[in-house]
């Protein structure tokens, strides 16, 4: 066993700042790619996130091909018959062209979108890698599909933590709704709960809106200032 802190999450598309706050607190990030893909509803973030417009928050979305209910994230294909790349880049450009960090950060988004993707998880993880680079985050990454965990829910999390020879698990507060403390205690797993306070930073397009995609911070503030804002959430 080692004392490395493990965090586990689905490979969401260009996720919000709390996602990267957790990565900054961890030593190992397990990409939970072999769980059911959630379609639609308030809990669907795998293929979409929000940016800011003069009319409020707006989704930017990656279309996917129809698949049977219960299909794992790693098996979902992108619907490339739809011109989603130009649509997304146009939406970002139109709403952030006047932002201070646009000239510095937009080329990274163009590079991300210039690559060819067939599988949704390949794109979403590429977006996470891009944001990790921009935020200066460098931790060990593993994929749950390579670790072949057993069990569901809490049991699966416990098995994944054990498979990387750790006993310390960093969890988001959303997991408290299904958290079973007794299982973790029996397994000898220490659970650390994330405490994330969203930073307030300069934004274009009116009053501040939190919990957008992390590209909102980067496009508004540039790379170095964004790193400072994110680091401040650790204090």
């Amino acid at each position: 066993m080692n004392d490395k802190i493990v965090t586990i999450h689905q490979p969401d598309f260009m996720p919000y700042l709390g996602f990267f706050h957790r990565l900054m607190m961890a030593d190992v990030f397990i990409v939970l790619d072999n769980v059911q893909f959630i379609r639609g509803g308030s809990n669907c973030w795998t293929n979409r996130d929000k940016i800011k417009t003069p009319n409020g928050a707006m989704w930017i979305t990656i279309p996917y091909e129809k698949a049977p209910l219960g299909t794992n994230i790693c098996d979902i294909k992108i619907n490339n018959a739809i011109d989603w790349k130009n649509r997304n880049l146009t939406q970002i450009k139109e709403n952030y062209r006047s932002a201070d960090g646009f000239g510095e950060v937009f080329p990274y988004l163009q590079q991300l979108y210039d690559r060819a993707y067939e599988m949704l998880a390949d794109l979403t993880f590429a977006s996470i890698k891009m944001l990790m680079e921009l935020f200066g985050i460098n931790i060990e990454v593993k994929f749950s599909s390579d670790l072949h965990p057993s069990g569901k829910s809490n049991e699966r999390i416990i098995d994944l933590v054990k498979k990387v020879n750790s006993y310390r698990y960093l969890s988001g507060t959303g997991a408290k709704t299904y958290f079973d403390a007794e299982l973790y205690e029996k397994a000898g797993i220490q659970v650390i709960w994330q405490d994330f306070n969203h930073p307030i930073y300069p934004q274009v397009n009116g009053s501040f809106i939190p919990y957008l995609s992390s590209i909102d911070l980067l496009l508004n503030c540039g790379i170095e200032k964004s790193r400072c804002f994110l680091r401040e959430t650790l204090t």
Side-chain angles (χ1 to χ4, degrees):
M1 288 285 193
N2 61 57
D3 61 356
K4 288 184 177 181
I5 296 175
V6 178
T7 194
I8 302 170
H9 205 283
Q10 296 93 333
D12 291 345
F13 178 60
M14 295 202 294
Y16 89 118
L17 293 173
F19 186 103
F20 296 98
H21 170 264
R22 205 187 310 175
L23 296 191
M24 292 179 72
M25 298 175 63
D27 302 293
V28 182
F29 169 36
I30 298 179
V31 182
L32 193 61
D33 61 338
N34 61 344
V35 293
Q36 180 180 342
F37 174 67
I38 298 175
R39 317 152 187 266
S42 60
N43 292 324
C44 176
W45 297 90
T46 308
N47 70 311
R48 62 180 188 168
D49 213 303
K50 294 179 179 180
I51 61 171
K52 190 180 179 189
T53 79
N55 298 314
M58 177 183 73
W59 291 105
I60 50 173
T61 303
I62 309 303
Y64 55 88
E65 295 184 1
K66 290 183 179 180
L69 190 66
T71 300
N72 285 341
I73 293 171
C74 57
D75 296 320
I76 295 291
K77 291 184 177 182
I78 296 172
N79 184 352
N80 282 310
I82 297 173
D83 190 14
W84 57 273
K85 292 184 178 182
N86 283 328
R87 180 189 63 195
N88 284 10
L89 287 174
T90 298
Q91 289 171 332
I92 294 168
K93 189 181 299 183
E94 287 178 348
N95 289 289
Y96 290 96
R97 66 171 74 247
S98 64
D100 287 349
F102 179 82
E104 180 184 26
V105 173
F106 190 72
Y108 288 92
L109 293 168
Q110 286 182 308
Q111 290 175 18
L112 174 71
Y113 277 80
D114 279 348
R115 301 181 202 132
Y117 304 96
E118 179 184 0
M119 308 304 294
L120 178 64
D122 291 339
L123 167 59
T124 58
F125 181 65
S127 78
I128 292 169
K129 280 183 64 179
M130 176 196 73
L131 289 165
M132 287 174 64
E133 176 187 346
L134 293 175
F135 286 132
I137 299 170
N138 183 22
I139 65 172
E140 184 179 358
V141 177
K142 293 186 177 293
F143 291 83
S144 61
S145 56
D146 294 331
L147 296 171
H148 308 291
S150 60
K152 295 181 179 180
S153 188
N154 291 283
E155 291 89 351
R156 178 181 290 248
I157 296 298
I158 290 168
D159 192 45
L160 284 169
V161 174
K162 287 183 173 181
K163 282 184 183 296
V164 294
N165 299 311
S166 181
Y167 65 93
R168 304 175 75 195
Y169 171 54
L170 172 63
S171 177
T173 55
K176 288 185 177 181
T177 56
Y178 57 85
F179 178 68
D180 187 335
E182 186 177 352
L183 286 176
Y184 288 87
E185 289 171 8
K186 285 182 177 179
I189 303 295
Q190 175 192 0
V191 178
I192 305 163
W193 292 104
Q194 181 184 25
D195 182 14
F196 174 64
N197 294 307
H198 200 293
I200 297 175
Y201 52 87
Q203 282 180 337
V204 291
N205 299 324
S207 301
F208 184 77
I209 300 177
Y211 303 105
L212 302 172
S213 168
S214 293
I215 64 169
D216 181 79
L217 170 60
L218 287 156
L219 289 164
N220 275 294
C221 298
I223 296 170
E224 192 52 47
K225 287 184 179 178
S226 294
R227 291 182 178 184
C228 291
F229 274 113
L230 193 55
R231 288 189 200 108
E232 287 172 3
T233 66
L234 297 175
T235 59

